[in-house]
Amino acid sequence: MDVPTNAPEHCPGTESEQAGKADACAGCDNQQVCASGQTKLPDPNLPFITQRMSTVKRKILVLSGKGGVGKSTFTAQLAWAFAADDQLQTGIMDVDICGPSIPTILGIASEQVHSSSSGWSPVYVQDNLGVMSVGFMLPSSHDAIMWRGPKKNGLISQFLKDVDWGDLDYLLVDTPPGTSDEHLSIVQYLKESGIDGAILITTPQEVALQDVRREIDFCRKVGIRIIGLVENMSGFVCPSCKTESQIFKPSTGGGKKLAQDTGIELLGSIPLDPRIGKSADYGVSFIDEYPDSPASIAYLDIIDRIKVILGDQ
Amino acid sequence: MAAKRLETVKHIIIVLSGKGGVGKSSVSTQLALSLYNSSPTVRVGILDVDLTGPSIPRMFGVDNHAVHQSSDGWVPVYADGAQARLACMSVGFLLKNKGDSVVWRGPKKNGMIRQFLSDVRWGELDYLVIDTPPGTSDEHLSLLEHMAPLHSRLSSVIVTTPQAVALMDAMKCLSFTRAVNLPVLGLIENMSGYVCPCCGEISNVFSTGGGQEMARREELRFLGNLPVDTELVSLLDASDVGGGAEKSADAFPLLARYQATTSCKLFAEIATSIVGSLAVA
């Protein structure tokens, strides 16, 4: 149900039959608009989004119910891996409006978005990797974005319709934690263009798995195909004695058990390597810096598997 | 409504962090337990406003409890059983099935938060700890809006990890508290260092020291750093804290087991300085 923030207590929702006619609508500022029936029409931006997205071959969401499990880091690595092929054009759209990490992780935090006659141009990490994030639009990285849902949705629709993405082979969408406005909006806006699938990220503890179960439930409710599950931060190898220990213990069987229970493919497990976090802070690609580390090998296997599942290899 | 219901609450502490997964819920849980432990008569409440990813029920080991309705409002779940000095409320208690997703846009979240603040029968509380979702959006704005009449009792704690990515979000969070004029009691750096259980070597899994540096630069009180404590991770992650048959007179096994962790001692100091700054304010 779509209820504006300034709606009265018992607002029937702008798309309901009762919109503008219910008792609660008396005195509401939006009553006339609702009663006119305009609000029941599809979002006027949809045709523009569909047109813009018609030149994007694959649209992939990176999701996880919980925060801090490595969505943005994974998105960045996946994009770098796709972009390693000169023939492919890749884009990243960061819809985490309140906490955009993508610009830092890709090492382009100080860049700005430019607009041209064909729309906002993404910031390019390299010739074939374009990025759009709200992080490029803030006067200072310290500024907080205190926006409620409708404003966030507005920006997401602009990211889809006004950004000059050009011809893309892959568009990766990095999302904030949870299952709320951003997620619903992206699904709604891309419904017509089609989403190729979602990659779910988790860590081994039950607290994270609980949130991922909710995310799976969300994907099934809205009808998004789940490409697979990635377990991040599984096991830590001490740099001094080389013994592996579990920082986040899989007390309930971890990602493996979750994958079995839900019939979702476990794409792989990435060990916790302190150099991954450091690479993200410095904005460099971990796989390129440490190609022989176990974590890089795990990353590359997962990425290959994703290409196979999508039918691109 | 919220103001009236919360009149019997002395201090409201909001736990914030811009970034997800830095340990807000675990810090909230530890704060509630440490405050609870500070005196045999103190009464503590914990409210989880992370509506789409509630972790508090799991952490307190009250996963399968449900909230009851009484003539005087919702009865919170008491984590310490019959003593009824530690009240929890979370959307997790309202779900039929743990795996159900709560797919809500802002206005519905706002409604739920209003209900949490105005319809829960908290009773007399010395402290109400509020655990929030990541970001600075609907939940945070709604909380502050509904509690505006109680402004003099509100304060906050910011949690971060030492990485640059997390610190950047913590800065955004600090800008938020300044914009809404919410006092910040201090900053906690979580996950700073990990002790290898095999050789005792300390690894800075997520780097270290960034929190202290940020506190110094922004003139915030630095409340302390908490290393990664696998004992604590397992304790808060396991649903069955009772540990099987040992159901003795000690009706609150989570607290007993928490007191055995190294984090408990570290956190007791943090809690003491939080209580200290609340007394001054």
Side-chain angles (χ1 to χ4, degrees):
Chain A
M1 191 169 82
D2 214 12
V3 177
T5 34
N6 58 351
E9 180 118 27
H10 297 287
C11 171
T14 54
E15 280 155 32
S16 119
E17 277 294 300
Q18 286 299 309
K21 298 177 199 138
D23 292 344
C25 299
C28 173
D29 289 346
N30 300 325
Q31 187 185 8
Q32 274 193 331
V33 192
C34 283
S36 70
Q38 269 183 26
T39 52
K40 288 176 212 105
L41 299 173
D43 189 327
N45 287 325
L46 270 178
F48 297 105
I49 291 176
T50 308
Q51 196 196 355
R52 185 71 87 173
M53 288 293 124
S54 64
T55 55
V56 177
K57 271 192 215 138
R58 299 225 181 270
K59 299 161 215 76
I60 302 169
L61 307 185
V62 180
L63 303 171
S64 94
K66 191 153 161 45
V69 296
K71 278 178 301 298
S72 303
T73 310
F74 185 82
T75 309
Q77 287 299 348
L78 187 59
W80 264 313
F82 283 145
D85 183 343
D86 291 343
Q87 305 300 311
L88 294 177
Q89 288 291 330
T90 302
I92 300 181
M93 187 171 107
D94 181 5
V95 301
D96 190 343
I97 312 282
C98 293
S101 314
I102 285 287
T104 309
I105 294 177
L106 290 164
I108 45 174
S110 53
E111 300 286 331
Q112 286 197 325
V113 169
H114 299 280
S115 55
S116 69
S117 55
S118 51
W120 293 344
S121 37
V123 171
Y124 284 90
V125 184
Q126 55 192 63
D127 283 347
N128 59 350
L129 177 53
V131 183
M132 184 49 76
S133 165
V134 74
F136 301 133
M137 300 172 174
L138 300 176
S140 143
S141 68
H142 297 170
D143 291 342
I145 297 203
M146 301 187 282
W147 287 358
R148 288 188 177 270
K151 264 190 106 166
K152 295 195 276 193
N153 301 336
L155 186 67
I156 293 172
S157 102
Q158 278 196 292
F159 275 179
L160 289 167
K161 132 180 109 72
D162 296 340
V163 174
D164 181 17
W165 290 106
D167 290 323
L168 286 185
D169 294 282
Y170 296 99
L171 178 65
L172 306 178
V173 182
D174 184 26
T175 63
T179 48
S180 192
D181 283 288
E182 294 88 339
H183 311 82
L184 282 169
S185 298
I186 194 90
V187 170
Q188 237 166 41
Y189 293 140
L190 288 180
K191 194 157 205 175
E192 228 167 290
S193 323
I195 295 173
D196 291 83
I199 300 166
L200 303 179
I201 317 283
T202 188
T203 51
Q205 331 90 291
E206 176 59 22
V207 211
L209 296 172
Q210 267 190 341
D211 288 352
V212 175
R213 273 186 215 111
R214 297 186 182 113
E215 203 76 43
I216 294 173
D217 186 50
F218 168 78
C219 288
R220 293 191 169 152
K221 268 184 195 161
V222 298
I224 303 179
R225 167 191 179 200
I226 298 172
I227 297 174
L229 180 72
V230 174
E231 185 183 80
N232 205 2
M233 308 191 193
S234 57
F236 172 72
V237 181
C238 172
S240 159
C241 68
K242 308 287 173 217
T243 316
E244 188 175 330
S245 58
Q246 303 286 335
I247 293 190
F248 301 109
K249 283 202 186 83
S251 63
T252 54
K256 196 170 166 199
K257 175 87 184 340
L258 176 67
Q260 278 170 4
D261 291 349
T262 51
I264 291 168
E265 177 171 344
L266 179 67
L267 299 169
S269 302
I270 303 168
L272 184 56
D273 186 328
R275 294 173 299 184
I276 299 178
K278 276 209 190 98
S279 306
D281 279 356
Y282 292 128
V284 294
S285 163
F286 173 77
I287 302 181
D288 294 343
E289 294 285 309
Y290 308 99
D292 301 324
S293 73
S296 290
I297 296 165
Y299 264 124
L300 292 171
D301 285 348
I302 292 171
I303 291 162
D304 281 343
R305 183 69 199 136
I306 292 172
K307 285 188 188 158
V308 171
I309 295 175
L310 289 171
D312 294 344
Q313 201 175 56
Chain B
M1 271 307 279
K4 200 160 184 318
R5 177 70 83 170
L6 296 175
E7 249 170 19
T8 53
V9 178
K10 289 195 194 117
H11 300 289
I12 301 171
I13 306 169
I14 307 176
V15 179
L16 299 167
S17 90
K19 194 159 157 43
V22 297
K24 275 179 305 301
S25 300
S26 110
V27 164
S28 305
T29 304
Q30 294 196 69
L31 180 57
L33 288 174
S34 304
L35 290 171
Y36 178 87
N37 204 18
S38 64
S39 134
T41 52
V42 72
R43 295 173 54 94
V44 182
I46 182 153
L47 171 64
D48 180 6
V49 300
D50 190 344
L51 303 176
T52 60
S55 311
I56 288 294
R58 180 89 192 172
M59 292 200 171
F60 279 93
V62 286
D63 238 355
N64 302 314
H65 289 244
V67 164
H68 298 284
Q69 187 74 252
S70 79
S71 56
D72 190 27
W74 286 344
V75 184
V77 171
Y78 289 98
D80 57 343
Q83 288 205 40
R85 291 198 291 122
L86 183 54
C88 306
M89 181 50 86
S90 164
V91 80
F93 298 134
L94 306 172
L95 299 177
K96 274 203 205 85
N97 183 328
K98 268 191 295 180
D100 284 351
S101 56
V102 174
V103 188
W104 288 352
R105 287 188 183 270
K108 267 194 103 166
K109 295 197 279 193
N110 181 31
M112 187 80 243
I113 289 171
R114 199 182 49 217
Q115 276 199 292
F116 275 161
L117 296 173
S118 57
D119 294 353
V120 177
R121 206 186 66 188
W122 294 105
E124 298 268 338
L125 287 182
D126 295 284
Y127 304 100
L128 177 64
V129 177
I130 302 185
D131 183 24
T132 63
T136 46
S137 189
D138 285 289
E139 293 87 341
H140 310 81
L141 293 168
S142 296
L143 261 183
L144 287 157
E145 237 166 60
H146 295 310
M147 297 199 296
L150 299 164
H151 195 267
S152 60
R153 299 181 207 175
L154 295 182
S155 56
S156 64
V157 169
I158 299 179
V159 185
T160 185
T161 55
Q163 310 114 284
V165 186
L167 287 165
M168 205 176 70
D169 288 353
M171 270 310 299
K172 289 186 195 297
C173 189
L174 182 63
S175 305
F176 170 79
T177 61
R178 288 176 176 160
V180 296
N181 196 18
L182 175 68
V184 181
L185 297 173
L187 185 74
I188 295 176
E189 181 179 293
N190 197 19
M191 305 194 194
S192 69
Y194 169 65
V195 183
C196 173
C198 174
C199 66
E201 164 99 3
I202 299 177
S203 307
N204 293 319
V205 182
F206 299 107
S207 154
T208 191
Q212 197 151 10
E213 168 58 25
M214 172 180 158
R216 197 189 53 74
R217 203 180 51 233
E218 297 299 325
E219 295 174 350
L220 287 176
R221 182 164 186 171
F222 185 65
L223 293 168
N225 31 14
L226 299 166
V228 177
D229 178 354
T230 48
E231 260 178 285
L232 180 76
V233 174
S234 313
L235 176 62
L236 297 182
D237 202 37
S239 68
D240 178 30
V241 281
E246 41 154 334
K247 282 242 164 158
S248 55
D250 186 16
F252 195 18
L254 175 69
L255 183 66
R257 292 185 53 187
Y258 175 59
Q259 283 168 325
T261 63
T262 45
S263 295
C264 179
K265 286 165 209 84
L266 287 172
F267 210 96
E269 282 170 37
I270 294 180
T272 311
S273 61
I274 289 178
V275 171
S277 38
L278 283 173
V280 175

